[in-house]
Amino acid sequence: MTNKIRKAVFPAAGLGTRFLPATKASPKEMLPLVDKPLIQVSVEEAVASGIESILIVTGREKAPIENHFDISFELEQLLKERKKDELFDMVRGISEITRISYTRQKQALGLGHAILQASDFTPNEAFAVLLADDVVDSEVPAMKQLIDVYEKYGDPVVATMQVEGPAISRFGVIDAEEVEPNVFRVRDMVEKPAFEEAPSDLAIIGRYILTPDIFPAIENTKKGAGGEIQITDAMRDLLEERPLYAVKLEGTRHDAGDKLGFLIATVEFALKRDDLGNEFREYLRSLDLS
Ligand code: UTP
């Protein structure tokens, strides 16, 4: 088995109920961070981390995602005619970003079930999983941080971040031992524990490196929290057979699938933009926030 992570899976078939009505007829992965859809932000992260081939697991609303990564013939023609070379290059570049294929999760039965749809895409090699609504703003691309750990240890890796206080109850939480700075060997993991019972302050977020033995583990996983097939449960089963590592990510994570998280991510990304940052900062300063 090659030790290189070449493939990535993007589960994008969730119903996005936290973002209704925007997600009624369009995927939340197409919500823009300023002007770039969330899914493009994370596809770029994957490519910057060395990924060569991507499978997007879509649901009933797949068309906008597929169209976004396809050639946009009329638009390109028009941009060419109007000599908008920069915009043309940008639009064309999106369709050439990397190899992308699609499969459909017919029912939103949970993240574990969505990942199971990738079993034909990557039957024999370890692969990356990225959830586009978890945006990680970091110096080293988040997925690269996981790949570095995988290449060293050769076992599955989950991304975590520190969460202070009762907010930890919204996450899967690891019980783990630090084996080198910011790298942990996982002893156990619990989905959404009560604050008092959380085994640590390290919450699992939407980046994983998984190995193909996860597929039978998912098949054997019963419906868990919310009646969904949870990836945490399948990984927990696998823990009995092989080591699992966690990396505490360097960077800031935003939950862009949540309205407040999305607003915060939007403001932070806008402030960093060369073309918008200064004016936007002035506008924010001018607000009477009392
Ligand atoms: P979320 O927990 O954010 O669920 O899924 P959701 O359904 O998308 O959104 P809410 O909570 O109802 O607002 C985490 C990731 O797993 C994918 C989602 O697309 C998202 O990227 N997912 C979830 C699937 O692909 N299929 C599923 O059945 C469930």
Side-chain angles (χ1 to χ4, degrees):
M1 202 192 280
T2 165
N3 205 26
K4 198 172 172 321
I5 302 291
R6 301 181 304 140
K7 297 184 176 185
V9 177
F10 285 70
L15 299 177
T17 53
R18 285 172 299 155
F19 227 110
L20 283 167
T23 47
K24 181 165 180 259
S26 51
K28 72 172 162 186
E29 288 76 12
M30 289 302 292
L31 291 169
L33 266 188
V34 185
D35 52 8
K36 195 180 278 187
L38 294 173
I39 187 103
Q40 186 185 337
V41 173
S42 51
V43 164
E44 286 177 0
E45 176 194 318
V47 171
S49 306
I51 296 295
E52 296 162 12
S53 179
I54 283 173
L55 176 74
I56 303 182
V57 181
T58 58
R60 77 240 165 272
E61 27 40 359
K62 74 171 170 179
I65 298 180
E66 280 198 20
N67 292 343
H68 186 70
F69 291 108
D70 199 357
I71 285 179
S72 180
F73 185 74
E74 279 179 19
L75 177 63
E76 289 183 12
Q77 193 81 357
L78 190 110
L79 293 174
K80 219 182 239 174
E81 275 164 25
R82 298 196 181 158
K83 307 228 172 328
K84 305 237 182 217
D85 294 343
E86 256 181 54
L87 279 180
F88 175 87
D89 290 344
M90 189 249 273
V91 166
R92 174 51 70 91
I94 297 170
S95 65
E96 291 172 346
I97 203 162
T98 188
R99 275 187 295 154
I100 303 185
S101 48
Y102 300 87
T103 194
R104 191 128 168 171
Q105 183 192 16
K106 290 182 191 136
Q107 273 182 294
L109 295 179
L111 176 57
H113 183 258
I115 293 172
L116 186 58
Q117 311 308 309
S119 57
D120 288 342
F121 171 68
T122 175
N124 301 315
E125 59 184 285
F127 58 99
V129 175
L130 295 93
L131 306 188
D133 48 355
D134 266 343
V135 176
V136 187
D137 188 7
S138 57
E139 203 118 308
V140 177
M143 184 43 73
K144 178 79 172 57
Q145 298 181 43
L146 274 80
I147 288 175
D148 289 345
V149 174
Y150 176 77
E151 284 178 350
K152 184 159 174 194
Y153 294 94
D155 282 299
V157 186
V158 295
T160 62
M161 58 161 197
Q162 214 157 4
V163 172
E164 313 279 353
I168 193 81
S169 299
R170 294 206 299 264
F171 297 86
V173 181
I174 60 166
D175 173 13
E177 171 196 357
E178 195 160 21
V179 289
E180 61 176 285
N182 298 325
V183 180
F184 300 78
R185 173 132 182 214
V186 177
R187 278 189 289 256
D188 199 1
M189 47 219 285
V190 229
E191 192 57 47
K192 303 189 172 64
F195 172 45
E196 305 74 37
E197 282 159 26
S200 73
D201 57 0
L202 291 176
I204 301 172
I205 62 159
R207 301 284 182 280
Y208 309 80
I209 305 270
L210 297 173
T211 42
D213 46 7
I214 196 69
F215 297 127
I218 298 172
E219 277 170 349
N220 290 326
T221 298
K222 297 194 180 61
K223 286 182 184 170
E228 297 191 329
I229 297 176
Q230 303 284 351
I231 191 64
T232 324
D233 291 339
M235 285 193 302
R236 214 161 165 252
D237 285 351
L238 214 53
L239 250 182
E240 286 167 22
E241 283 157 41
R242 68 182 304 165
L244 169 69
Y245 290 87
V247 57
K248 186 160 96 185
L249 289 182
E250 164 277 308
T252 310
R253 174 260 188 187
H254 302 288
D255 180 3
D258 167 78
K259 286 171 197 172
L260 183 60
F262 179 80
L263 282 173
I264 293 170
T266 302
V267 169
E268 293 210 357
F269 273 70
L271 286 172
K272 283 188 188 179
R273 287 270 295 244
D274 290 341
D275 57 341
L276 294 167
N278 286 341
E279 268 184 81
F280 188 49
R281 187 170 287 104
E282 261 174 55
Y283 164 71
L284 291 178
R285 281 211 182 100
S286 76
L287 291 177
D288 180 2
L289 295 175
S290 57

